[in-house]
Amino acid sequence: MNRDESDIKDRGRVLITGAASGIGLATALKFAAEGWQVAAVDIDGEALRRNLGETDGVVLMLPVDISDREAMATAVAAAVERMGGLDCVVANAGVHARNTLLTITDEELDRLLRINIVGTVNTLRCTAPQLCSAGSGSIVLTASDQAFIGKPGNFGYGLTKGAIAQLTRTAALELAPHGVRVNAVCPATVSTPMVDKIFADAHDAGGGEVDAMWQEERGLFPLGRVCRPEEVADAIFFLGTQAGFCTGSLLKIDGGLTAG
């Protein structure tokens, strides 16, 4: 953030949503470490400042509710003005809630749809025109292993991540003539604050000890562990910057979970 404009003008330019923690934070740090200019978006402005405020390369920190299209459009305009354009967009922000078809509440369903689907669509609708006008660029979305398999107790979340996978395919076809690639990462369980909260909430609801839940979760994967945020960030960076002939791809990052 301390570099002059002349020092950063030739660096790649990326906007990342959900950048204050977990996968989004790891991705912001990855792009910054690789020499990119980063516009970091998250609803939690304090967490953005705490986790990214001293990171060289993070040129903007924008506290935004992605489900508010007008606010998202304002944030994108600020990012374009500050960085001089966009080369990559990482539509990562999302929320989780455990529920079933029989237990999901109207409030839970509305929140999952509003943030995970509408918020993602808002992000793409506000950024894709910038990429298309430049005739190049890429978009990477965060889907889930639940784009491929069902998981009991994840009805609403799985519904939204399946939609993200389909959105990726269609957007890839629509934006390809404009020179813009669209891909998605599909991680399984990742060691993030969001998953910590899921297990903590399950514990509070009488679901057992958190350490035992983590042990059981690790046992689901042929590799014997869960994913690290940095591993997803590496995949996002690859799809966003290096995978020049990949579009419409859904990249599994699941430790072999869906291989059998």
Side-chain angles (χ1 to χ4, degrees):
M1 295 180 67
N2 297 321
R3 293 176 181 255
D4 293 334
E5 289 292 336
S6 58
D7 297 322
I8 65 175
K9 64 181 180 179
D10 294 326
R11 299 163 74 184
R13 304 158 298 186
V14 62
L15 181 143
I16 303 168
T17 67
S21 66
I23 293 170
L25 174 59
T27 302
L29 294 172
K30 171 68 176 178
F31 273 86
E34 294 288 344
W36 282 59
Q37 298 181 68
V38 178
V41 174
D42 199 284
I43 197 170
D44 189 341
E46 175 56 35
L48 280 175
R49 290 186 291 272
R50 182 173 64 250
N51 295 328
L52 290 171
E54 300 301 319
T55 303
D56 182 40
V58 178
V59 298
L60 272 179
M61 292 174 289
L62 300 161
V64 179
D65 178 354
I66 63 168
S67 68
D68 182 338
R69 188 181 176 203
E70 183 175 343
M72 192 64 206
T74 299
V76 170
V80 169
E81 180 178 5
R82 176 68 175 85
M83 299 190 295
L86 289 174
D87 301 298
C88 183
V89 175
V90 181
N92 166 75
V95 295
H96 185 283
R98 286 191 59 82
N99 45 57
T100 71
L101 171 63
L102 299 180
T103 64
I104 191 168
T105 66
D106 290 344
E107 291 75 15
E108 286 175 334
L109 180 59
D110 177 72
R111 181 169 182 259
L112 287 163
L113 295 175
R114 179 170 48 83
I115 297 174
N116 293 4
I117 297 180
V118 175
T120 299
V121 171
N122 285 344
T123 301
L124 269 60
R125 291 179 75 189
C126 292
T127 57
Q130 295 291 333
L131 300 175
C132 290
S133 66
S136 65
S138 66
I139 298 169
V140 184
L141 299 92
T142 300
S144 166
D145 59 343
Q146 292 185 59
F148 301 96
I149 58 172
K151 288 186 177 180
N154 288 264
F155 176 77
Y157 182 77
L159 180 160
T160 64
K161 291 303 182 176
I164 296 301
Q166 185 58 32
L167 187 161
T168 300
R169 297 184 186 98
T170 304
L173 296 175
E174 292 182 349
L175 299 187
H178 301 280
V180 178
R181 299 182 298 107
V182 185
N183 297 285
V185 291
C186 300
T189 304
V190 183
S191 180
T192 64
M194 185 174 78
V195 180
D196 286 333
K197 185 177 186 306
I198 292 168
F199 287 160
D201 289 346
H203 168 73
D204 293 343
E209 295 301 318
V210 171
D211 287 345
M213 293 181 207
W214 272 115
Q215 182 175 354
E216 181 179 357
E217 192 74 14
R218 289 191 291 270
L220 297 174
F221 299 95
L223 289 183
R225 64 176 178 85
V226 299
C227 187
R228 297 187 294 270
E230 294 78 13
E231 292 172 311
V232 184
D234 286 345
I236 290 172
F237 187 80
F238 167 72
L239 287 174
T241 70
Q242 299 168 354
F245 201 58
C246 290
T247 196
S249 297
L250 305 176
L251 178 58
K252 296 180 182 179
I253 311 171
D254 66 357
L257 178 66
T258 64

